[in-house]
Amino acid sequence: KTKTPWISDHLSWGRLEGAHYHHLIPLPHRSDVADYVAERLRIVQDFLEIPFALENIASVASFANNEMSEWEFYSQVVEKGGVQMMLDINNVYISSRNHGFDPLDFLQQIPLDKVIQIHLAGHTDLGAYCLDTHDCPVKDEVWKLYEKIYPLTHGASTLLEWDDHFLSFEQTCKEAMKAKTFQSAFEVSL
C-alpha cells in the first residue's frame, strides 16, 4: 500500500467505444450528467476507502446544451458525490479566458471548504485562446488568483505542475517557493 492520503482524477471524459483520446474533454454541464457522475463517485470512494478528489479542467470548447456554468456543475458533482476538490487555479484562469467569464466568479462560487489541494501551472497564451501546457512559469494573473483564494482554503496543500521545457532543479524550487511567499503572508496575518 502507498498510504496515499487521497486519490484524484479530472472531471472530464476521454474515451468512447473503440477510441481513447489523449486530451481532457469537458462533460456537458447538465443536471443529469452531474447526477450520473456523482453516483459513480460515491461508488469509487466507497471502494477506495480513502478520500477522492476531482480536478477541474481547462477547456477551449463547451456544449451548446449546457444548463449551468462550469463552477455550478463542478460544485454539484462534488457536493452530490461527497468528494473533495483538487482545485487547479491555472485551469480556472484558462477557461475564463477561453469562455469569457471572470475567474473570480468561478472561485467565489465553489465550496472552498472542499478543496484538498491547489494546483498551479504555466500556460500558453495564443491571444484568441489559452492552452494548459504546463511548460513555463506560472503567470502573474494566476499568482494573483492564488493569493486571493489560498487563504479561503484553510491552508490546502499546493502543487506546482510542470510537464515540458523543464528548468533546472534550482529554478524549479525558486518557482515553487513563490507559493510559499503567499502562504507565509497569510499565516502572518492570522
Side-chain angles (χ1 to χ4, degrees), residues 6-93:
W6 63 77
I7 294 177
S8 67
D9 203 347
H10 296 88
L11 181 55
S12 65
W13 65 279
R15 183 178 74 85
L16 286 175
E17 189 174 329
H20 287 273
Y21 302 97
H22 298 286
H23 190 73
L24 303 172
I25 303 169
L27 294 162
H29 300 155
R30 298 190 332 246
S31 293
D32 62 323
V33 176
D35 291 342
Y36 177 85
V37 174
E39 180 182 331
R40 274 130 193 90
L41 288 172
R42 288 189 298 273
I43 293 167
V44 167
Q45 188 157 274
D46 285 347
F47 179 78
L48 294 173
E49 298 181 342
I50 61 172
F52 189 81
L54 271 180
E55 182 175 345
N56 56 300
I57 65 167
S59 64
V60 294
S62 60
F63 289 89
N65 66 347
N66 281 347
E67 298 172 349
M68 63 188 84
S69 67
E70 181 181 350
W71 56 88
E72 290 169 314
F73 180 71
Y74 186 32
S75 296
Q76 269 193 32
V77 169
V78 166
E79 295 283 2
K80 289 179 177 183
V83 298
Q84 303 296 309
M85 290 182 155
M86 186 77 61
L87 179 60
D88 191 315
I89 293 182
N90 187 56
N91 288 351
V92 170
Y93 177 78

Side-chain angles (χ1 to χ4, degrees), residues 11 116 159 165 167:
L11 181 55
I116 199 166
L159 174 74
H165 305 285
L167 300 173

